[in-house]
Amino acid sequence: GGGGHTRYILGRTGPDGGVLGIDRDSEAIAVARQYLASYLDRVTFVHDSYTNIRELVASHGISRIDGILCDLGLSSMQLDDHDRGFSFHSPDRLDMRFDQRNGQTAHDILMTWSVQQLVAIFRDYADERLAGPIAKSIVARRADEEITGAVLADICTSIYRRRYTKASSTHPGTRVWQALRIAVNEELDQLRSFIFDAVDLLRPGGRLAMITFHSLEDRIVKQAFKTMVTDCVCPVDFPVCRCDHRATVNLITRSGVKPSMEEVTQNPRSRSALLRVVEKKY
């Protein structure tokens, strides 16, 4: 992101603490490098995905990790850059790629995927209750015009107005934008394996902190933590444990930690953030 968490960590771990900062967004790294100019001797920037953490740690010769913080949210910089397509206010083609070096864009998905494929991501990645009507309208509209951010916002708004007369404080396109972003960046595919890799890399007593921003991410984190904190994961009808699974972490947060009202007032975009933390046992 913009380097806010990293700056706080560096400030609390001086003079010897170091940070390996990983981000898929080259623009975020450029901004963070300027923001953290006074700490450049203790921070290493890596343009890559956090899912490759095992290889990245090895390539940088790091053997001792005291803590890992994974912030799965969008940065304000990404949301405010309309050219990136993360915001409802993006009028043109939607990109939504964190790493703009490769991969299909949201525009590619909107212009080529079938109704069935669009319905699947809207439902699976965002629990969109009007996935069917929205997907059908996208496919119908693209026969005559390009599906830009403005057109997609109009589609979502029009369908919600026809189905629900009561206005909502949440933009009608919220879940559709979320689903497209997840699909473009394959955000959920490797999240669970990352959590286990991250804990494995920690020293005993080291902590993994995960900040999620929607229920799908949090569900994966919660289930992974539940597995790691449990001694036996055999089916309940097994009379004797056969899995030999042993708990590798302790829960530091019994339930997700939400931002205070004061924090939400200062930073409205933090309202959906949820923090979960575990500590490695051995």
Side-chain angles (χ1 to χ4, degrees):
H5 286 128
T6 302
R7 184 167 185 164
Y8 186 82
I9 292 169
L10 289 166
R12 293 291 297 269
T13 58
D16 301 319
V19 171
L20 182 69
I22 305 167
D23 205 296
R24 294 169 69 177
D25 190 335
S26 60
E27 293 182 15
I29 291 177
V31 170
R33 193 183 297 275
Q34 290 185 338
Y35 183 63
L36 301 170
S38 58
Y39 295 100
L40 293 183
D41 59 327
R42 292 199 287 122
V43 59
T44 300
F45 300 95
V46 179
H47 184 200
D48 209 317
S49 170
Y50 69 93
T51 57
N52 298 323
I53 188 171
R54 190 180 291 277
E55 294 80 6
L56 295 174
V57 165
S59 67
H60 284 82
I62 299 172
S63 59
R64 171 192 172 93
I65 299 180
D66 297 290
I68 297 173
L69 169 64
C70 185
D71 180 353
L72 298 175
L74 293 170
S75 69
S76 294
M77 176 188 64
Q78 290 167 329
L79 288 168
D80 293 336
D81 185 350
H82 294 171
D83 291 336
R84 301 291 296 276
F86 290 108
S87 165
F88 311 121
H89 306 295
S90 304
D92 301 316
R93 290 185 176 186
L94 301 181
D95 191 311
M96 292 195 183
R97 291 173 299 172
F98 291 144
D99 188 340
Q100 295 185 300
R101 295 175 298 182
N102 47 47
Q104 65 183 341
T105 66
H107 181 263
D108 296 331
I109 291 175
L110 290 168
M111 294 301 294
T112 62
W113 283 25
S114 68
V115 169
Q116 293 76 14
Q117 289 174 306
L118 292 172
V119 167
I121 63 169
F122 295 161
R123 285 180 177 170
D124 295 346
Y125 294 161
D127 295 324
E128 174 53 64
R129 51 191 168 182
L130 297 180
I134 292 173
K136 290 177 183 177
S137 184
I138 289 170
V139 172
R141 289 275 291 267
R142 77 187 186 199
D144 301 314
E145 62 181 321
E146 191 175 38
I147 305 298
T148 61
V151 172
L152 182 59
D154 178 64
I155 289 172
C156 295
T157 301
S158 298
I159 289 175
Y160 263 83
R161 280 177 180 169
R162 290 199 297 266
R163 298 297 183 95
Y164 301 100
T165 56
K166 186 177 180 180
S168 171
S169 59
T170 303
H171 191 285
T174 297
R175 294 181 185 275
V176 169
W177 253 259
Q178 172 184 306
L180 286 169
R181 193 197 77 223
I182 291 172
V184 166
N185 297 290
E186 301 177 338
E187 292 178 39
L188 303 181
D189 294 344
Q190 300 181 43
L191 177 56
R192 193 173 190 275
S193 61
F194 160 77
I195 296 171
F196 286 90
D197 284 345
V199 168
D200 190 45
L201 291 169
L202 290 171
R203 66 165 179 81
R207 293 186 176 186
L208 169 64
M210 301 290 299
I211 303 176
T212 63
F213 286 82
H214 58 77
S215 59
L216 291 175
E217 291 173 342
D218 183 59
R219 193 178 306 149
I220 292 173
V221 173
K222 187 176 180 180
Q223 290 174 347
F225 284 3
K226 183 178 180 180
T227 298
M228 290 189 289
V229 80
T230 304
D231 274 335
C232 174
V233 293
C234 288
V236 292
D237 57 346
F238 277 27
V240 179
C241 176
R242 300 176 185 175
C243 68
D244 294 325
H245 184 271
R246 293 294 176 266
T248 55
V249 301
N250 294 315
L251 283 179
I252 299 301
T253 55
R254 288 290 169 182
S255 58
V257 178
K258 299 179 180 180
S260 65
M261 289 300 297
E262 180 183 0
E263 181 176 356
V264 173
T265 300
Q266 294 175 353
N267 177 21
R269 288 172 175 168
S270 72
R271 64 185 181 279
S272 56
L274 197 63
L275 169 71
R276 295 186 187 274
V277 184
V278 291
E279 182 178 272
K280 190 172 183 178
K281 295 180 69 171
Y282 50 81

